[in-house]
Each structure stands twice: as structure tokens, then as C-alpha cells.
Amino acid sequence: MQQRTIGDTKVSEIGLGGMPMSIEGRPDEARSVATVHAALDAGVTLIDTADAYHIGATEVGHNESLIARALASYGADTSHVLVATKGGHVRPGNGSWTVDGSPEHLRSACEASLRRLGVEAIGLYQFHRPDPKVPYAESVGAIRDLLDEGKIRMAGISNANPDRIRLAQEVLGGRLASVQNQFSPSFRSSEPELRLCDELGIAFLPWAPLGGSSRAGRLGSRNAAFGEVATELGVSPQRVTLAWMLAQSQVVIPIPGSTRPETIRDSLAAADLALSREQLARLDA
Ligand SMILES: NC(=O)c1ccc[n+]([C@@H]2O[C@H](COP(=O)([O-])OP(=O)(O)OC[C@H]3O[C@@H](n4cnc5c(N)ncnc54)[C@H](OP(=O)(O)O)[C@@H]3O)[C@@H](O)[C@H]2O)c1
């Protein structure tokens, strides 16, 4: 698969999102591991996870542990795979998602992620979501300290607007490697952030690129142009969507979620799908 760049690291131009393997509706572990292995077989070298991808309060880091086990059981060298995790979201166990962006929490969350992933330094650590109770520069300052101490190799942020991207870049002394925001055919309000990342040369990782687990299957009917182009080309609307995203900018690296080998294989084939200018214009509209 073609490569794109996060900071100083080359990764496959499409990654695997781990969230649906660990939250409500998740499959059994064997199917999740088969999905991760199918992604690796197809050349994926970027896997996105977070300590908050779990259900019960006692299973924090469910997805990080699952990814670590899947990598360990792959049967080939996976040291070149970038596992990108996040801290700053908390799931108390009642189905809700809360935030804690305090430096104390981020430090202890990072230490716990290091243990679960079984690495000396986390490849990419992302501040998951701004915490209204904590000044943004303080949260990102904690990420900078982890970077300076070598506990993380690269720093990213998520759910950030252009002002926060600029502030994070300043706090990190120009070392902001990635921004992860929601972006899909029906959710395009992150375009200003995508354009800013393009201008600054920062990787942009669209989350829920297919509209999220509950909507991904109906993407072609919810977004008519994507359904039409898919029919013309004889491929899935999901594949068309990812190819359209890749065409937005060289900094874009989508991370579709998956719980089945078939869906991740289909999504990854988007890297080889060429869309004409005319088709791209229809999808852009
Ligand atoms: N930073 C944040 O705040 C944040 C928030 C949400 C998500 N994320 C990250 O972004 C990743 C992606 O988001 P997401 O998982 O919520 O949503 P998504 O990628 O838009 O959709 C995931 C769903 O798409 C289906 N799918 C994947 N490829 C398909 C294909 N080719 N054809 C048909 N269906 C396909 C999968 O179905 P199957 O289950 O049947 O395989 C999966 O359930 C997450 O996994 C997570 O890593 C980050």
C-alpha cells in the first residue's frame, strides 16, 4: 500500500480504527483478532486505539490490550506498526463518555497505556478531547512533557478547532504530528481543520470516515453521489468514500473502524481506486 507520513514516520495511507472492537456491540475476541490480522496482511501499519475504548469501568484499555495481543499473535514482525493511542476521555461504566484533561490524569493514563501496549515509548499519543475545566495549554503541556521525557515518540490532538491546533503547535514547539477530527461525506465541518493541517504539513486522521458504526452500512443511500459513483465503478460506496478522502490532501490518513476481515479488506482497497476529476467534483459538491 502507498505510504503517507505522520511526523517522521511513514504509515499505510489507510489505517485501522479499533473502537468498534471494544465498545457496545463488540464482537468476540477471535473475530477482532482476525480483523487486525487481515489488516496487517493487507499492509496496514497504522492502528488507532484509545484507553477509553471499553465498556465496563473495570476494563479500561480493553482495546489497547486487544491490539497488543493481536500484534503479538500475528506470527511476523510488527515492530514497524504505529499504534496510535489517546488519553483524556473517561468511561465511568454507565455508557457515558466524560473527559479529564488534567495533567495528572494524562500522565497516569499514559503510564497505564504504556504498560498495556507493552512498549517503552508510545508511537503516537493523542490528547483525546478538550476538557472545558482545564486550560487547553495545560493539557497539551502535559503531552509535551511526556514527549520531552521520551514516554511518547510523537504527539497528536483530537477534536480540535483551528485555534486549538495553532495553540497545540505552539505549546509543543512545532512538534504537533497529527490532528484527529470527525470527517465523512455527511460530516464536513472539519474542512477548515483539514485545510490548516494541509498548510502546516500535519497529518489529518478523519474519524468515523464512514459515518460511524450505526450509519456506515447505509452510506450509499444516505449520500446519493457516493452511491452513484460506486455503482458506476462496481465497488462499495465505502471504498469510494475513502478514495475521495485520500484525494483531499496528502496529509489525510483515514482510520475506518472494522470488526470483520471482509470490511477492512474492502476499505483498504480504496488505496488502489482511482477517481476521475469529474467523479471527485460530484463527490465534493
Ligand atoms: N478521536 C475521536 O474522538 C474518535 C471518535 C470516534 C472514533 N474514533 C476513531 O475513528 C475510528 C473510525 O470511526 P468509527 O469506527 O466510529 O466509524 P467508521 O469508521 O465510520 O465506521 C465503522 C463501521 O464501518 C463499517 N465498515 C468499515 N468498512 C466497511 C466497508 N468497506 N463496507 C461496509 N462497512 C464498512 C464497519 O462494519 P463492521 O463492524 O461490520 O466491520 C464498522 O462498524 C474508530 O474506530 C476510532 O479508532 C475517534
Side-chain angles (χ1 to χ4, degrees):
M1 205 185 313
Q2 293 292 313
Q3 310 285 293
R4 292 198 171 181
T5 307
I6 301 181
D8 61 2
T9 304
K10 296 257 183 242
V11 294
S12 53
E13 63 181 357
I14 301 175
L16 168 66
M19 187 172 85
M21 295 181 221
S22 289
I23 64 163
E24 289 78 356
R26 67 191 180 199
D28 61 36
E29 174 142 340
R31 196 172 107 194
S32 292
V33 169
T35 304
V36 176
H37 288 178
L40 296 171
D41 287 346
V44 160
T45 55
L46 169 66
I47 301 179
D48 182 72
T49 180
D51 61 351
Y53 295 164
H54 65 95
I55 302 174
T58 56
E59 52 167 28
V60 176
H62 179 279
N63 195 245
E64 292 176 325
S65 303
L66 171 71
I67 300 297
R69 282 195 295 276
L71 290 172
S73 66
Y74 184 53
D77 181 26
T78 55
S79 56
H80 57 296
V81 176
L82 178 66
V83 178
T85 192
K86 316 182 196 78
H89 245 314
V90 180
R91 300 207 72 195
N94 58 3
S96 70
W97 296 73
T98 59
V99 288
D100 187 345
S102 65
E104 303 72 35
H105 172 76
L106 291 171
R107 173 164 293 275
S108 65
C110 177
E111 299 278 3
S113 292
L114 275 165
R115 285 193 292 276
R116 284 188 291 265
L117 294 172
V119 293
E120 280 179 19
I122 290 171
L124 173 64
Y125 197 64
Q126 305 157 98
F127 176 41
H128 208 149
R129 188 177 285 277
D131 179 348
K133 301 182 300 305
V134 181
Y136 198 63
E138 268 183 37
S139 300
V140 179
I143 306 288
R144 176 201 54 218
D145 293 346
L146 295 167
L147 192 57
D148 289 342
E149 292 163 28
K151 291 186 186 293
I152 66 175
R153 229 172 34 71
M154 295 190 286
I157 56 174
S158 181
N159 300 299
N161 62 21
D163 286 346
R164 288 193 168 119
I165 294 173
R166 288 199 181 85
L167 178 56
Q169 183 65 311
E170 191 186 317
V171 172
L172 290 163
R175 294 176 293 170
L176 179 62
S178 66
V179 172
Q180 183 176 140
N181 274 12
Q182 185 173 7
F183 184 66
S184 67
S186 45
F187 189 97
R188 302 191 191 191
S189 57
S190 276
E191 261 174 40
E193 289 85 19
L194 193 164
R195 295 294 150 222
L196 181 60
C197 285
D198 179 77
E199 187 188 316
L200 300 176
I202 295 169
F204 182 88
L205 280 49
W207 67 253
L210 306 175
S213 282
S214 58
R215 298 198 191 94
R218 288 174 285 132
L219 196 152
S221 49
R222 291 171 56 90
N223 302 274
F226 288 78
E228 284 158 25
V229 171
T231 304
E232 281 164 30
L233 296 172
V235 300
S236 70
Q238 292 80 8
R239 200 184 295 184
V240 169
T241 298
L242 296 166
W244 165 75
M245 243 170 226
L246 289 172
Q248 298 297 310
S249 158
Q250 278 296 313
V251 300
V252 172
I253 307 173
I255 45 166
S258 179
T259 66
R260 290 182 292 137
E262 308 86 270
T263 50
I264 190 62
R265 277 191 210 107
D266 183 65
S267 289
L268 295 173
D272 298 318
L273 181 67
L275 299 171
S276 69
R277 268 172 201 236
E278 181 276 325
Q279 286 165 335
L280 285 170
R282 266 194 280 154
L283 301 173
D284 279 339

